[in-house]
Amino acid sequence: MKKLLITSITIIALNTQAAIFITPKAPGISAAAYTVLDFNSGKTLASNNAHEHRAPASLTKLMTAYVVFQLINDGRASLDDEVRISKKAWKTGGSKSFVEVGKNIKLETLLKGMIIQSGNDSAVALAEHIAGTEGTFATYMNEYARELGMKNSRFENASGLPHKDQYTTASDMALLAAATIRDFPEFYPWYSQKEFTYHGIKQRNRNKLLWSDHTVDGLKTGFTKKAGYNLVASANRVGMRLVSVVLGSTGVEARTAQTQKILDYGFRFFETQRLKDITKEVPIASATQDTLKVGTISQASFTLARGQFKLSDQVIQLNSGLAAPIKKGDSIGKLLIQFEGKTIASVPLVALEDAEQAGFFSRMLEKVGL
């Protein structure tokens, strides 16, 4: 369908020479799967085997926490809830918060024990408190995963202990991490806490990047023999937040170094740009007014090669045959971000006001050019 193009807004040229942008391939990562994405735009910057089914190990606890956070926000649970520790929770193997059978512990304490210490006993206790049984809680986990678009994940328990039918992908884990950061800003700082003490036992967060990179503020590690060494991380640097996932690495140091490598790659060669409160006027046919105010309905974010936005052209592309009547909020076209004639990003534009249709006589005069 034919479009009407109107060059608009900004063209910035720093010099008369052509700008050169080189974005190299992502660095080699020896893990089974990985991905790194821009949190604000959702654009994947690099990945390998990102949709391959992998055992999540303790990354499962990201989903467990997401469910509990959601129920707290819905008013169906509280940080002050007293959670009674069952024998099953107490006996759960693997990493522990060392909760005691029969004791009542505040839900907030169990959440921190699960997030910071990776306590399997805390995860099971939370699941039983929310849903009665861990199996029923897994139903919650899978429903919320479906709502988040995690199409290649299935959860069978709250802790991440091995289960033949439990799996996820690097891509799905990135979605979950981003949703946690976006939906629960009040709880997210717990993922950056370096240590937690319960029952006189101090345990350190297993995410070593919290010590070596001050821009990293989450999220979770995991390990089983089947899964290998996993790490989901997020860093906020130079006005940009990235989320990374490394699955099936060969060791603690390897997953740390591999995560650092792909985060550094993303920050070095890409940037997040945001367009907010754009208001422009475009000509409108068959209306009682000559122009129509258009803009974006929300802040738009997109990812470009670092420095490219400064040299971009911004072009308004109107829908073909755009004419009154138009209602506020109607889609009217796109704002195209172009570099050297190539569209590198596109932002939807809507009408910011109503445009009433002109009378019959006025429309006829317009058609004959009077």
Side-chain angles (χ1 to χ4, degrees):
M1 189 161 52
K2 189 176 180 181
K3 302 284 186 179
L4 173 62
L5 293 178
I6 304 175
T7 302
S8 179
I9 307 181
T10 306
I11 300 175
I12 303 176
L14 299 184
N15 55 58
T16 58
Q17 294 180 331
I20 297 175
F21 292 92
I22 298 175
T23 304
K25 291 183 179 179
I29 298 297
S30 60
Y34 78 89
T35 192
V36 58
L37 62 81
D38 184 328
F39 168 77
N40 287 292
S41 71
K43 180 180 176 62
T44 298
L45 307 183
S47 67
N48 185 50
N49 298 329
H51 302 290
E52 178 183 282
H53 287 188
R54 300 287 306 172
S58 281
L59 300 187
T60 300
K61 296 183 179 81
L62 289 173
M63 191 74 244
T64 301
Y66 187 90
V67 173
V68 178
F69 294 157
Q70 189 68 60
L71 295 184
I72 290 172
N73 276 8
D74 291 346
R76 291 184 282 169
S78 167
L79 292 177
D80 292 326
D81 283 355
E82 294 287 340
V83 180
R84 189 167 183 80
I85 306 303
S86 71
K87 187 175 182 179
K88 178 186 175 183
W90 171 70
K91 290 180 65 177
T92 302
S95 54
K96 287 179 173 289
S97 296
F98 299 102
V99 297
E100 299 170 282
V101 64
K103 188 172 182 179
N104 289 332
I105 301 174
K106 283 192 180 296
L107 185 144
E108 179 177 354
T109 301
L110 291 173
L111 267 174
K112 290 181 177 178
M114 180 181 70
I115 290 169
I116 303 162
Q117 301 174 334
S118 200
N120 292 333
D121 47 2
S122 291
V124 174
L126 287 166
E128 292 178 337
H129 176 71
I130 294 295
T133 68
E134 193 175 7
T136 302
F137 185 81
T139 303
Y140 280 88
M141 297 171 75
N142 289 317
E143 280 300 304
Y144 280 112
R146 182 184 60 80
E147 286 191 5
L148 291 174
M150 299 171 64
K151 298 179 181 179
N152 291 294
S153 295
R154 181 170 180 81
F155 300 100
E156 296 290 343
N157 60 47
S159 65
L161 286 171
H163 191 291
K164 64 182 180 64
D165 295 324
Q166 185 155 265
Y167 56 85
T168 191
T169 67
S171 179
D172 278 2
M173 275 293 142
L175 284 177
L176 176 57
T180 299
I181 298 167
R182 179 190 67 238
D183 297 342
F184 304 111
E186 69 273 36
F187 299 127
Y188 179 62
W190 291 349
Y191 287 98
S192 66
Q193 192 167 324
K194 293 180 178 179
E195 59 186 31
F196 184 66
T197 300
Y198 174 73
H199 201 54
I201 302 172
K202 180 187 292 185
Q203 296 188 67
R204 300 180 78 186
N205 194 314
R206 293 170 172 82
N207 182 0
K208 291 194 170 187
L209 285 174
L210 295 176
W211 281 266
S212 62
D213 184 342
H214 73 277
T215 69
V216 172
D217 54 13
L219 292 161
K220 190 76 185 71
T221 64
F223 168 75
T224 63
K225 186 175 181 180
K226 180 180 179 181
Y229 291 83
N230 300 339
L231 174 56
V232 176
S234 183
N236 196 2
R237 199 187 302 174
V238 292
M240 183 182 192
R241 177 176 287 281
L242 298 182
V243 173
S244 67
V245 181
V246 170
L247 303 181
S249 188
T250 56
V252 172
E253 298 301 329
R255 73 184 176 192
T256 302
Q258 290 159 357
T259 298
Q260 186 74 72
K261 188 181 291 187
I262 58 175
L263 286 173
D264 288 347
Y265 167 79
F267 285 119
R268 180 173 293 116
F269 294 106
F270 298 92
E271 65 179 352
T272 306
Q273 286 295 335
R274 299 173 180 85
L275 295 177
K276 185 179 181 182
D277 298 331
I278 296 173
T279 303
K280 296 294 169 182
E281 292 189 358
V282 299
I284 181 68
S286 304
T288 57
Q289 61 207 61
D290 295 328
T291 61
L292 175 71
K293 290 182 180 179
V294 302
T296 55
I297 55 175
S298 60
Q299 179 171 288
S301 297
F302 48 90
T303 309
L304 303 174
R306 185 161 291 280
Q308 201 174 52
F309 186 71
K310 293 179 180 178
L311 302 175
S312 68
D313 300 335
Q314 299 176 29
V315 175
I316 291 178
Q317 184 183 68
L318 299 179
N319 294 337
S320 178
L322 185 68
I326 292 175
K327 295 293 185 182
K328 182 178 179 180
D330 284 352
S331 172
I332 61 91
K334 302 174 182 177
L335 175 66
L336 305 180
I337 311 300
Q338 297 185 336
F339 179 73
E340 295 183 348
K342 180 181 178 181
T343 297
I344 53 179
S346 175
V347 181
L349 292 176
V350 299
L352 298 179
E353 60 182 348
D354 294 338
E356 296 182 4
Q357 189 177 51
F360 177 78
F361 184 66
S362 296
R363 299 200 308 273
M364 289 302 100
L365 290 177
E366 185 179 271
K367 283 186 177 183
V368 298
L370 295 178

